[in-house]
Amino acid sequence: MGDFTFGSSREVLPLCRKHDEDRDMCCEDCKTIFCVTCGQTEHKDHNWGSIKKISSEKSKDIPKISQAIRTCVREITDSLSFVSQMEYEQEKRHSGQIRQLVKQQDDVVNEVFKLTNANIEKSKGIYSRCQQRLATLKTNLSNFKQDLLDKAQYLDTHFNFMTGFQLMETKNDAEALMIEVNNIDLTAYGHLPCFFKGKMDYAALKTMYGTLMDPEIIKVSRIANFKNFSNTIVSIHAVSSDLAWIHGWDCSAYLLNTGGVIRNTIEMNSVSNDFVVVNDGIHIFTDFENDEVKMMDENGKISVLVSTKPLTPIGIAKSLEGDLFVALVDDYSFRLNTKSKRLIKLMSTDGEEMKTIEFDKDGTTKLFTKPHRVFQNYNSDICVIDQTGQSSGVLRVLSSEGTAKFEYRGNYVRKRFDPRGLVCDRNCNIIVSDCLHSFIHMLSPFGEFIRYLVTKQEAFDAPYSVDLFNTSLWVGGKNGDISVYRYISDPSD
């Protein structure tokens, strides 16, 4: 800012270095202050005018500006809470991993001593790097917070005798700070390393020891984004790296490539809530309107595989053996009573029932409120998205026998978790989309949060369905959007 005499009615304006004229003009587009000659040349096509006129027009907005600053300060406060919680979680994870590593060392012969130390040092390096980044972020956020509070106080206390130049420059500075705050990507800092514990096998000691995974080796980049539909992409199933079938609410099935080109369309005349593609391109889907599981061949001919009355089928998935898991409910409410039926059935592709999963091992505790999606992980665990409210839910993971192993209610960033899409990668990591907050969570096979897969720059609005084929991660949105990401979880890919 220039030299001013506060409280004086006379403005002392700094001179333009280029033209030696008073800097008494302001550009609304560029948020800069300059002389009239600069305006007539460099800003001639912009929205600019005299500071006196513009500041007079903007002075009535001071309460809004002050309020916007304070709103931004509150957001920074929330972000600082986020950072503090991440510091705690990283410390807890780091300490827990060290204990795991040392315990593994105690179970193995002395030959693994060097390998143990190497992994400990790797963990310390990851922790040190993450803590340093968080400390820098915390300092920057605190500085932004104080700067904005100072500007808000300055506006509140000097409003009556501020010059137009002071007003516009303070306003522009505050807006520039708020833009910087808004551009901070907190998801880039929400990484937690994860140690993958292995079983003792001296024939392959290094492999069996386990791997301390650095979450930053996981690379996810968007390779396609398009919107061909206006309704929800209810379910998506990739059949190759560049082709996927989708089902929506319009009673049709579409085969698309990564360019968004529709390669095939089949009129189903049935509302599909979820589906899988099995041998010979046959779609097996849940028709919740008629309480049936149906089959559709490549020509669109539909037949009923099995009636599920009086239960309604919602989610469906293939088992590792090629059979089907079907999620079933007796109604759509989230209130349970002793007569409520909320369960998973294992059945053959011929419709023969093989197993029912409804209660925990005590035989009385109901496992589910409203099972929505199901996926069998490659370690044989059965992963189930269980909706507990209209926009809330929990990921429940069961053993292959159907007993509860663990549950995931979202990371510490948000209090409410709205899981909708579910898939697992070849390393048995679990990928689940949070439709409410537009996050895609990556978990270890043991339910530990590892990271968010999609950054702020490539955020996907309301991700409702996901599928993975090799390194192609397909995501379908509640608003009809589809994105395809290159998903690399192994540096050798």
Side-chain angles (χ1 to χ4, degrees):
M1 295 180 65
D3 297 325
F4 300 99
T5 302
F6 290 104
S8 171
S9 60
R10 177 177 175 272
E11 289 193 53
V12 180
L13 299 174
L15 296 178
C16 174
R17 294 181 180 179
K18 291 183 180 180
H19 306 109
D20 200 29
E21 298 176 7
D22 286 345
R23 291 170 61 200
D24 55 0
M25 299 291 149
C26 178
C27 179
E28 288 281 76
D29 296 334
C30 302
K31 309 296 184 185
T32 55
I33 297 173
F34 44 80
C35 71
V36 67
T37 303
C38 287
Q40 293 170 344
T41 55
E42 298 175 16
H43 301 267
K44 62 181 181 179
D45 296 324
H46 296 181
N47 179 22
W48 65 280
S50 70
I51 285 179
K52 183 176 181 180
K53 179 182 178 182
I54 295 177
S55 64
S56 176
E57 294 173 352
K58 296 294 182 182
S59 61
K60 62 179 179 295
D61 294 333
I62 286 181
K64 293 181 179 179
I65 296 170
S66 180
Q67 181 61 36
I69 291 174
R70 294 183 187 282
T71 299
C72 189
V73 168
R74 287 194 295 271
E75 292 174 354
I76 292 175
T77 300
D78 291 342
S79 296
L80 285 168
S81 297
F82 172 89
V83 172
S84 296
Q85 185 65 29
M86 281 196 292
E87 289 176 323
Y88 167 76
E89 293 291 340
Q90 287 181 346
E91 168 66 27
K92 186 171 71 171
R93 181 68 61 84
H94 169 68
S95 300
Q97 286 177 164
I98 296 301
R99 290 193 297 270
Q100 285 182 293
L101 290 168
V102 172
K103 186 177 185 303
Q104 281 290 82
Q105 175 185 301
D106 294 340
D107 294 338
V108 182
V109 292
N110 291 333
E111 283 75 8
V112 303
F113 180 75
K114 292 181 180 180
L115 182 61
T116 300
N117 276 347
N119 276 277
I120 290 175
E121 291 304 314
K122 182 179 179 181
S123 179
K124 289 180 178 179
I126 296 170
Y127 171 66
S128 176
R129 184 182 68 241
C130 292
Q131 289 284 290
Q132 186 175 10
R133 292 179 67 197
L134 288 175
T136 301
L137 175 62
K138 192 173 186 179
T139 299
N140 291 340
L141 287 170
S142 297
N143 290 339
F144 280 131
K145 179 178 180 179
Q146 187 59 52
D147 289 347
L148 287 170
L149 282 172
D150 289 344
K151 292 189 181 302
Q153 184 176 4
Y154 179 80
L155 285 172
D156 293 342
T157 57
H158 293 81
F159 165 60
N160 291 328
F161 46 87
M162 289 175 66
T163 65
F165 182 85
Q166 291 171 321
L167 170 63
M168 296 310 298
E169 189 157 54
T170 302
K171 170 181 172 294
N172 291 344
D173 288 348
E175 289 177 346
L177 285 172
M178 288 187 285
I179 290 173
E180 286 189 60
V181 171
N182 187 57
N183 286 335
I184 293 175
D185 184 4
L186 293 179
T187 62
Y189 296 85
H191 299 170
L192 297 175
C194 188
F195 173 67
F196 290 82
K197 180 180 177 181
K199 295 181 179 180
M200 294 300 104
D201 183 346
Y202 297 103
L205 182 59
K206 188 174 181 179
T207 300
M208 293 298 105
Y209 181 85
T211 302
L212 181 62
M213 186 185 72
D214 184 342
E216 293 190 9
I217 70 169
I218 301 165
K219 304 297 181 184
V220 180
S221 57
R222 186 161 59 192
I223 58 178
N225 176 247
F226 45 88
K227 182 173 182 176
N228 292 4
F229 311 96
S230 59
N231 57 16
T232 300
I233 307 301
V234 178
S235 186
I236 191 165
H237 186 90
V239 292
S240 71
S241 296
D242 58 357
L243 288 174
W245 281 99
I246 70 162
H247 287 193
W249 296 125
D250 61 353
C251 301
S252 297
Y254 303 91
L255 180 66
L256 298 94
N257 64 17
T258 52
V261 178
I262 298 176
R263 303 287 294 274
N264 191 10
T265 301
I266 300 177
E267 299 298 330
M268 299 168 58
N269 299 315
S270 296
V271 178
S272 166
N273 195 71
D274 200 4
F275 77 104
V276 294
V277 179
V278 295
N279 297 334
D280 301 322
I282 293 174
H283 292 211
I284 301 180
F285 64 94
T286 56
D287 180 349
F288 63 90
E289 289 187 329
N290 296 300
D291 296 340
E292 295 171 333
V293 177
K294 294 181 174 179
M295 300 177 63
M296 179 178 70
D297 65 21
E298 58 185 3
N299 298 315
K301 182 180 178 181
I302 293 177
S303 58
V304 177
L305 177 64
V306 63
S307 171
T308 61
K309 293 180 185 296
L311 302 180
T312 299
I314 302 179
I316 190 169
K318 287 188 291 188
S319 74
L320 295 179
E321 290 75 25
D323 299 308
L324 302 172
F325 286 104
V326 182
L328 297 151
V329 300
D330 57 347
D331 63 52
Y332 287 99
S333 71
F334 299 105
R335 288 190 172 186
L336 300 180
N337 55 51
T338 55
K339 296 182 179 180
S340 297
K341 303 292 288 184
R342 315 295 169 88
L343 49 92
I344 303 290
K345 279 189 181 292
L346 177 65
M347 60 179 64
S348 71
T349 53
D350 296 325
E352 179 185 354
E353 293 187 12
M354 303 165 65
K355 181 192 292 187
T356 297
I357 303 172
E358 183 177 7
F359 301 102
D360 205 354
K361 55 187 175 182
D362 61 7
T364 59
T365 303
K366 294 181 184 296
L367 289 169
F368 312 111
T369 301
K370 182 184 171 185
H372 173 70
R373 302 272 193 193
V374 59
F375 191 95
Q376 186 165 31
N377 203 343
Y378 300 103
N379 60 6
S380 79
D381 285 348
I382 303 167
C383 305
V384 181
I385 289 178
D386 186 21
Q387 287 185 285
T388 56
Q390 193 62 41
S391 298
S392 61
V394 57
L395 172 68
R396 305 191 190 279
V397 177
L398 318 175
S399 68
S400 57
E401 290 76 28
T403 57
K405 293 184 68 174
F406 62 84
E407 62 181 37
Y408 177 74
R409 294 182 176 272
N411 197 23
Y412 47 83
V413 180
R414 305 289 184 185
K415 292 183 179 179
R416 191 160 56 154
F417 182 47
D418 184 22
R420 296 300 177 114
L422 175 64
V423 73
C424 300
D425 68 16
R426 65 186 183 186
N427 295 318
C428 303
N429 298 311
I430 304 168
I431 299 170
V432 57
S433 65
D434 181 349
C435 189
L436 182 64
H437 301 110
S438 299
F439 288 153
I440 299 178
H441 300 232
M442 180 181 183
L443 314 178
S444 76
F446 316 108
E448 298 173 302
F449 173 79
I450 298 176
R451 60 167 293 175
Y452 298 113
L453 288 183
V454 181
T455 63
K456 188 174 183 179
Q457 287 72 23
E458 295 184 336
F460 190 93
D461 185 37
Y464 196 89
S465 53
V466 296
D467 198 26
L468 181 66
F469 190 97
N470 292 337
T471 61
S472 294
L473 178 66
W474 292 73
V475 183
K478 195 170 185 179
N479 301 317
D481 299 283
I482 297 175
S483 280
V484 186
Y485 299 89
R486 180 167 172 76
Y487 171 78
I488 304 297
S489 60
D490 186 337
S492 63
D493 287 337

